[in-house]
Amino acid sequence: MALEFDLIESYFLPLSEGFASVDVGIGDDGAVLNVPEKHQLVVVTDTLVEGVHFPVETLAYDIAWKALAVNLSDLAAMGAEPACYSLALTLPNYDAIWLQKFSEGLRDLSTQFKIPLVGGDTTKGPLTITVTAQGWVPNQQAVLRSGAQEGNLVCVTNTLGEGALGLKLALAPEKERVLPFLSKQEKVRALNALNRPVPQLAISTDLRGLASSAIDVSDGLLADLAHMLKQSSRALLKQDGGGRNSNASSATVLGAEIELTQLPLSSGVLRYIEQTKDWALPLSGGDDYQLCLTVSPKNMTQLMARLNSKGVSLSVIGKVVATHPGITCLNQGVVHNIGGGEKGYSHFQ
Ligand code: ADP
Ligand code: MG
């Protein structure tokens, strides 16, 4: 791309400067960072493709915000403190106004969490944004998907279903008239959750030593909780020496029971469910970027207090069981059958 270097200098170099942890930032073949002693590096990557991860008419500011936010959300789920990020950007053309707004979206979110942009790549093609983010954790203190134990409580931060409600609004052809039972405020809240999710980084360090496992809810609660149960089951089988067993890698020994009436829902999502009975929205809508945690009952009070002191609510929605694999949803104690549409998002289905 002819203007590649101007573009990098104008829009991205300013996001790189003024950070003590960066020895060499944008401009060299690679970035050089100072890694704190006795810490491990946590590395995450997520790609957003136009039309797949965000509707075509999404604002440049929101695309940038979300591309960074989804990565920071992964760091939060690992219990990491954010360190820096890089950006691989594929653009269909050089559009100065679009780039200005895009860089403002990155700037506003990265300033909030004080992280530098340290490098990237710029190419021409269909609009695609890949962010790689790095964070630190003290040695051996990363919070993994694989630590859930029988009897742990299943919890989620804040509320679920808001981003999925926002997507319904964003995709509706007649935006003014869709979901008429929602107030204007509820619609704004849902669209904000979709376009500018706030990664739960404010509480990432609080999870260490208290949550037995964690995952960020990006594909939907049921899908992401299932990932956590699968990884935790594998870890248990390995501990028992079952790792040598040929089918151990596919076996899931842990399951979970979820009580739908305990799901934390905003007034908009609650009203949506009252009107439509569509539980798929909070169960598998995705785009939540809240954290789903498993917590031993003995750690619950302390974790709850830590999170509440930072303005984050934590709701217990169920428990981890070893009596049957899979996730059982109960509605006031009665089994609620999960429809095909409630299973979560998968790209190659
Ligand atoms: P190379 O020739 O080594 O691939 P580039 O010409 O792609 O290097 O990039 C030049 C410098 O600009 C590098 O330091 C690279 O990390 C940085 N860079 C390129 N694209 C971006 C981007 N989209 N965001 C941030 N930094 C970028
Ligand atoms: Mg390059």
Side-chain angles (χ1 to χ4, degrees):
M1 203 185 274
L3 296 165
E4 186 185 331
F5 297 104
D6 291 349
L7 182 158
I8 295 164
E9 295 228 340
S10 309
Y11 300 106
F12 299 130
L13 194 57
L15 303 177
S16 163
E17 292 165 337
F19 291 87
S21 60
V22 184
D23 220 10
V24 178
I26 289 176
D28 215 310
D29 287 318
V32 183
L33 302 177
N34 300 312
V35 184
E37 258 182 65
K38 297 186 180 153
H39 280 67
Q40 289 176 301
L41 199 57
V42 179
V43 183
V44 303
T45 296
D46 254 315
T47 293
L48 300 192
V49 178
E50 184 179 51
V52 178
H53 299 93
F54 55 89
V56 172
E57 61 276 20
T58 307
L59 300 175
Y61 183 101
D62 292 343
I63 296 169
W65 178 288
K66 191 156 184 176
L68 181 56
V70 299
N71 280 278
L72 299 183
S73 177
D74 282 328
L75 287 180
M78 299 297 293
E81 284 166 76
C84 66
Y85 68 105
S86 53
L87 170 70
L89 185 59
T90 303
L91 296 170
N93 49 38
Y94 187 115
D95 176 342
I97 295 171
W98 190 94
L99 279 161
Q100 180 60 33
K101 294 288 173 201
F102 183 86
S103 64
E104 285 172 14
L106 287 182
R107 181 199 62 198
D108 288 353
L109 185 58
S110 62
T111 306
Q112 197 171 323
F113 295 106
K114 301 187 179 62
I115 48 168
L117 175 61
V118 295
D121 198 21
T122 307
T123 50
K124 187 168 178 174
L127 181 59
T128 306
I129 305 101
T130 298
V131 169
T132 300
Q134 324 233 6
W136 335 114
V137 282
N139 286 344
Q140 307 305 324
Q141 287 189 38
V143 183
L144 307 181
R145 293 181 177 184
S146 54
Q149 304 273 342
E150 181 185 8
N152 282 176
L153 301 170
V154 178
C155 313
V156 288
T157 56
N158 297 322
T159 60
L160 294 174
E162 206 65 51
L165 189 63
L167 186 62
K168 279 197 188 294
L169 292 167
L171 292 180
E174 290 186 79
K175 294 194 179 20
E176 299 307 312
R177 287 206 235 152
V178 73
L179 307 179
F181 46 83
L182 295 181
S183 69
K184 188 158 184 224
Q185 239 181 354
E186 286 166 342
K187 289 186 179 181
V188 169
R189 188 187 147 137
L191 283 166
N192 250 329
L194 173 71
N195 291 321
R196 298 189 198 168
V198 177
Q200 293 302 306
L201 270 178
I203 59 162
S204 63
T205 59
D206 298 311
L207 308 181
R208 298 174 191 161
L210 291 180
S212 56
S213 66
I215 191 165
D216 71 317
V217 183
S218 53
D219 294 336
L221 175 70
L222 293 183
D224 290 316
L225 176 56
H227 293 320
M228 206 154 59
L229 293 168
K230 186 172 178 186
Q231 294 301 331
S232 299
S233 297
R234 281 186 180 169
L236 286 175
L237 285 165
K238 261 195 200 154
Q239 259 173 28
D240 294 346
R244 287 188 298 276
N245 187 323
S246 62
N247 64 6
S249 62
S250 59
T252 303
V253 292
L254 293 175
E257 280 177 6
I258 298 298
E259 173 55 56
L260 297 185
T261 53
Q262 300 301 316
L263 294 183
L265 306 174
S266 67
S267 65
V269 173
L270 257 179
R271 210 191 307 274
Y272 170 86
I273 292 173
E274 271 164 25
Q275 295 283 330
T276 62
K277 310 289 174 239
D278 178 18
W279 280 99
L281 187 94
L283 289 174
S284 40
D287 270 334
D288 288 302
Y289 304 104
Q290 296 299 329
L291 299 182
C292 177
L293 312 172
T294 60
V295 186
S296 157
K298 71 176 185 346
N299 291 336
M300 202 56 217
T301 317
Q302 198 186 348
L303 183 62
M304 186 91 80
R306 279 195 195 174
L307 269 47
N308 291 350
S309 75
K310 293 189 173 163
V312 173
S313 65
L314 187 67
S315 304
V316 177
I317 60 165
K319 61 173 189 278
V320 178
V321 298
T323 41
H324 47 274
I327 301 168
T328 308
C329 290
L330 304 169
N331 193 341
Q332 293 182 310
V334 178
V335 173
H336 167 93
N337 284 318
I338 299 170
E342 297 178 8
K343 292 267 168 64
Y345 188 77
S346 169
H347 279 280
F348 294 102
Q349 245 165 22

